[in-house]
Amino acid sequence: MPDSAKKMDFRKILAESLLLGILFLGQVMCYPIGAPASSCSSMIPNHGVSASNTPAPYTITTSKNTYMPNEEITVTLQANSGVYFKGFLIQPRRNSSISEPNTFGTLTGDSLTQSPCTATSQAALSHINNSLKTTINVTWKAPADSVETVVFIATLVQTKDIFWVNVQSQVVTPLFLDPACGKTKGCFYGSTFLVTWADRGGNSIDFEMKASIPEPDNYWISLGFSSDKKMGDDSVADCSLQSGAVKTYSSYNPGRSNEPLDNNIYGINGTNGRLANGVLSCSFSRARTVADVATASRKKRAAVSAATFFDLNQDWYLLFAQGRGPAASKIQHTIPPAISNDKVNLQSVSVLAAPDSPTGVDLAKVHGSLMIVAWIFLASIGTVMARFYKPVWPESKLCREKVWFQIHRACMVLVLFLVAAGFIVIFVDVRSYSATGGWTDIQKAHPILGIIIMALTLINPVMALFRPHPDAPSRKVFNIAHFAVGIVAFVLAIINIFIGVDVEKLSTNVVNILWAYVGWFIFIVIVLEQDFIQSRKDKGSNSYELNDLPEKEQSVGSSSIIHKLKPGIIAVHAVIVLGLTIAMLVLINLSSEEE
């Protein structure tokens, strides 16, 4: 073949290859460095083909379905399993005018995103390359001074010819809808709720509650008026969503439970409510005061009286809670209740933000649980072992020490660690020496006793490190001091647990279990003390020492039936105090969630 013909064939092949390459790149690149500015209004890429009319294999989700001014929400573009996308364009638009190009709020992303729109009124983000993607996270920030319901819309591109437009998220609804907050209305708000009030004069105050809820029905939101920051002795207004209808009730918290008033709509008028876009709204007028019409009943029956239907002319802490079930039989909080930092004057137009609760952990419960495990369970076993079990298992050793001593030491070391942990936890919770607002004089003794108990709990093991030799004259003084410090700490701790139950306004069931524990412990001490006294009479033994002594000085038990039963008695004692401990922990950490 002539050279000229070869050159012509080569040129033809090269031209065809270049043409195929251009066509191929056109198919796969499709604006590989981001959507063009011309797409910011229509959201349609200029690919020369129509968008796919099949269901999009992508979803847009938001970290929340409600927002407050200036709040940031994470928006996620997610491909279905086995699917990808190369390009995208996302915008936040007003739900009321979703087809209009003006967006709402601002969007920010990572280094793999960019804003293709030049108009300042168009917030948008797009890709910077055509790599295969399955997930993109961007951050939307709400405006500070205006509110709208928002929908995020997106265009997602697989290839030049395959793309979807108008993929939409759920509606994101503002909670802080009322511009009258701080002007003609007072407001108490958190990240998922808003409470407003307006004093219209006369014998009523207008309230409105809004909250983002996870259920489509059978749900309640409540506003409590309290003299302190704890649930218990609170007047409550309830909004309940039942079978699609919103109803309002008056109720009362006698403790860690909620009871409707015997006239459960007393003092409530003008109820309006609805559920829209996952937000339960409820407005009502609540009587400011009520004269006593029945004797107050704070334990059995919530009768209408000034003791259960509080005077709103006074200042109160506000408690906002929500949960499942009808108002007449609430099940439990779905999130920790929000409590105002200060008492609120409901004749004012103050605006209060709910304190942050990042973990949702009730540190007061953690504190109480640690103290109950330490003193009710561990100390109950450790003190009994030290006092009454030296003569038991006289020839047995555990890690080169007598069995009773190792059990005693293990229990009391754990008591020290748990008490110290509980001590630190409660200081972290109240962020000061004590939060005693609204406490009685007896309740105010709780932190004082706590500090004394912590000091005694620390002193006793330090004393043990410096105990004299068994033959030293000062050994008897040490034994008495060690015993006295331990017993004083133990008795004060049980008393302080009773006070703590009163401070936390726990149910009477917890108090009853505490009394059952006290009764059992006194019983077991009386029983074992009889054997202890008999043993000393029979043998004249020295029951103080830990190490081996001459035979005549070793701890020796009596011949009584109690002594023979001691191994079984300590086992029964351990099981009973463990059961009582578990019962109290369950009541504190589970039952206390009910309102």
Side-chain angles (χ1 to χ4, degrees), residues 436-446 499 502-503:
T436 57
W439 287 13
T440 65
D441 289 340
I442 292 177
Q443 291 173 341
K444 289 178 180 178
H446 185 73
I499 298 174
D502 185 47
V503 167

Side-chain angles (χ1 to χ4, degrees), residues 515-578:
W515 280 117
Y517 162 76
V518 171
W520 166 257
F521 193 81
I522 291 174
F523 169 76
I524 205 73
V525 166
I526 290 174
V527 170
L528 293 175
E529 191 69 27
Q530 299 301 312
D531 178 69
F532 179 80
I533 294 172
Q534 186 63 43
S535 175
R536 292 175 66 86
K537 286 181 179 180
D538 291 348
K539 306 297 181 180
S541 65
N542 182 350
S543 61
Y544 296 115
E545 306 310 337
L546 312 181
N547 304 311
D548 290 331
L549 295 172
E551 182 66 24
K552 65 179 181 179
E553 295 184 23
Q554 285 186 11
S555 300
V556 183
S558 72
S559 58
S560 70
I561 187 66
I562 295 175
H563 181 76
K564 296 176 182 178
L565 295 175
K566 271 188 172 182
I569 290 173
I570 192 62
V572 170
H573 175 63
V575 169
I576 288 178
V577 294
L578 176 61

Side-chain angles (χ1 to χ4, degrees), residues 362-372 419 421-423 425-426 446:
D362 189 334
L363 294 181
K365 288 182 187 177
V366 175
H367 166 77
S369 299
L370 290 171
M371 294 305 181
I372 285 172
V419 171
F423 191 75
V425 162
I426 203 62
H446 185 73

